[in-house]
Amino acid sequence: MILLDGTKLAEEIKTELGEKIKKLTDEGKKVPGLVTILVGENPASQSYVNSKGKACQKLGMLSKTERLPETISQEELISIIYKYNNDPAFHGILVQLPLPKHINEDVIVESIIPAKDVDGFNPVNVGNLSIGKDTFYPCTPYGIVEMLKRYKIETSGKHAVVVGRSNIVGKPIANMLVQKKEGANCVVTICHSAAKDLKKFTLQADILIAAIGRANYITADMVREGAVVIDVGINRVEDKTTEKGYKIVGDVDFENVAPKTSYITPVPGGVGKMTIAMLLVNTYEAYLKIER
Ligand code: GUN
C-alpha cells in the first residue's frame, strides 16, 4: 500500500508555481491576483479563506479578502463581484460557499465572469468541462486528477466509482475522469446516498472516490483488494483526547481499508492539501489567458 502524499505534492506544485511568479516579478511584470469573498462568520469558511490568502501571498501573488457581513443583500454582493469582474488587478474571483440562506448561490456563481471563475462553478465552465473543452477545473477534482497523474496511476480503461454527487466534487470529478484524455478515459459510475446496495458498486471500483461527507462511511468490506482509494471527506468527530475536542476524519475507515488498497490518501494530508494548490494553479492559468 502506498500513501498518496498530498502535502508533499501540493508543496511541489506551489514551488513550481512560485518560480513562475518570481520570473514575472523579476521581469517587472504584473502578477496574478486572487480576490476571495467571505460572507458571514462560518468558522470553517474563515479558516479556508485565510489559508487561501496566505498561500497566495507566499507565492508572491496578489491576494485580497473581502469580508462581508452576514446581512449583506444579494444585490450588494453582486455589485461587489461586478467590480472585481472589471478590475484588471484580479484574475481570479472566489466566493466562499456556503452563503447565507437569503442569497441564491446559483445567481452569485453566475455573476462571476467565466474568465475569472477559478472555482470552475459557473455554468459556462461546467458546460465546457462536460464537453471536454478548455475550462477551469474545480479545484478539488483537479487536485485528484493531478495526484493520479503525478503518482503515474493508470486511469485509461479503469472503472472509477464516485460516491457523492455534489456540484463541487462528485459531478465534476466524474466528468473529468470520463473524458477521452490523458489522465482520464475511465469508465465512470456515480453513486449517492439513495443507492440501494452501495457495496455492489464500490466493490467494482479500480479507483474509488469517496466524497459523500460522512465520517468513516466506506468500510473495508466495500473495497476491492488492490483498489486505489481517494478520500475527499473532511469530517469533524468528537475526540476528547485532543485540545480542540474533535479530530478530522475522512469518508473512509482508513485503518481497516488501507491494508486492502494499492494506493490511498490519508485525511488530513491527502486531497485537502491539493485543493488550495490547484486554486493557485487556476489563478495563474486565468492570468495567462487574460494577460496574453
Ligand atoms: N466551499 C467548500 N469548498 C469550496 C470550494 O472549493 N470553493 C468555494 N468557493 N467554496 C467552497
Side-chain angles (χ1 to χ4, degrees):
M1 182 271 288
I2 295 174
L3 265 189
L4 295 167
D5 188 344
T7 308
K8 189 179 117 225
L9 274 194
E11 284 309 315
E12 215 171 276
I13 291 165
K14 286 190 277 186
T15 303
E16 291 164 11
L17 200 53
E19 284 161 10
K20 291 179 185 156
I21 293 168
K22 182 170 181 307
K23 193 159 171 267
L24 293 173
T25 316
D26 290 348
E27 289 169 358
K29 291 192 177 140
K30 186 173 175 178
V31 292
L34 173 69
V35 59
T36 307
I37 301 174
L38 173 65
V39 181
E41 298 187 356
N42 177 318
S45 292
Q46 281 180 332
S47 150
Y48 291 140
V49 164
N50 288 341
S51 306
K52 288 168 185 175
K54 276 189 204 147
C56 259
Q57 282 165 2
K58 204 168 162 203
L59 294 198
M61 294 164 77
L62 176 67
S63 160
K64 181 171 177 186
T65 304
E66 282 274 9
R67 290 169 207 279
L68 304 169
E70 181 92 20
T71 50
I72 191 166
S73 71
Q74 182 165 305
E75 288 64 37
E76 282 172 292
L77 180 56
I78 291 172
S79 74
I80 291 169
I81 292 169
Y82 282 172
K83 185 181 86 181
Y84 288 110
N85 280 344
N86 294 310
D87 185 337
F90 294 99
H91 308 86
I93 303 172
L94 180 146
V95 178
Q96 188 66 30
L97 304 177
L99 290 168
K101 295 250 173 324
H102 66 278
I103 298 177
N104 182 326
E105 284 185 359
D106 292 343
V107 173
I108 296 305
V109 164
E110 283 171 38
S111 69
I112 301 171
I113 49 166
K116 295 190 179 185
D117 169 37
V118 285
D119 259 330
F121 293 166
N122 185 298
V124 170
N125 287 324
V126 176
N128 282 333
L129 168 58
S130 78
I131 58 172
K133 278 177 66 182
D134 186 31
T135 186
F136 290 111
Y137 299 119
C139 305
T140 301
Y142 195 7
I144 295 171
V145 169
E146 194 61 27
M147 209 173 209
L148 295 172
K149 259 191 208 162
R150 289 187 183 228
Y151 272 89
K152 300 191 168 44
I153 294 171
E154 181 61 71
T155 52
S156 184
K158 302 291 182 190
H159 186 190
V161 176
V162 180
V163 184
R165 57 178 155 184
S166 71
N167 292 336
I168 295 182
V169 183
K171 285 182 200 142
I173 188 63
N175 244 333
M176 287 178 77
L177 289 175
V178 84
Q179 299 299 325
K180 194 170 181 178
K181 285 188 178 171
E182 207 198 317
N185 209 24
C186 289
V187 173
V188 177
T189 299
I190 307 182
C191 302
H192 46 77
S193 54
K196 292 257 162 31
D197 182 5
L198 184 61
K199 186 172 154 182
K200 182 174 88 185
F201 300 104
T202 58
L203 276 173
Q204 293 176 36
D206 298 312
I207 301 171
L208 179 61
I209 298 175
I212 196 151
R214 296 190 192 173
N216 302 320
Y217 192 71
I218 304 291
T219 47
D221 59 312
M222 299 167 80
V223 178
R224 195 176 63 73
E225 201 71 44
V228 176
V229 174
I230 307 288
D231 189 352
V232 184
I234 301 178
N235 308 292
R236 281 185 187 192
V237 294
E238 192 181 286
D239 182 354
K240 296 213 168 83
T241 67
T242 67
E243 199 180 310
K244 291 177 179 159
Y246 66 85
K247 64 175 178 179
I248 300 291
V249 300
D251 290 354
V252 176
D253 172 12
F254 183 86
E255 195 186 331
N256 295 306
V257 168
K260 292 186 87 174
T261 64
S262 54
Y263 295 87
I264 187 167
T265 57
V267 175
V271 173
K273 286 282 178 359
M274 296 294 286
T275 299
I276 292 187
M278 301 325 287
L279 171 67
L280 304 177
V281 169
N282 274 348
T283 304
Y284 180 70
E285 286 172 1
Y287 168 90
L288 291 183
K289 284 180 199 156
I290 293 171
E291 299 293 332
R292 288 199 180 155

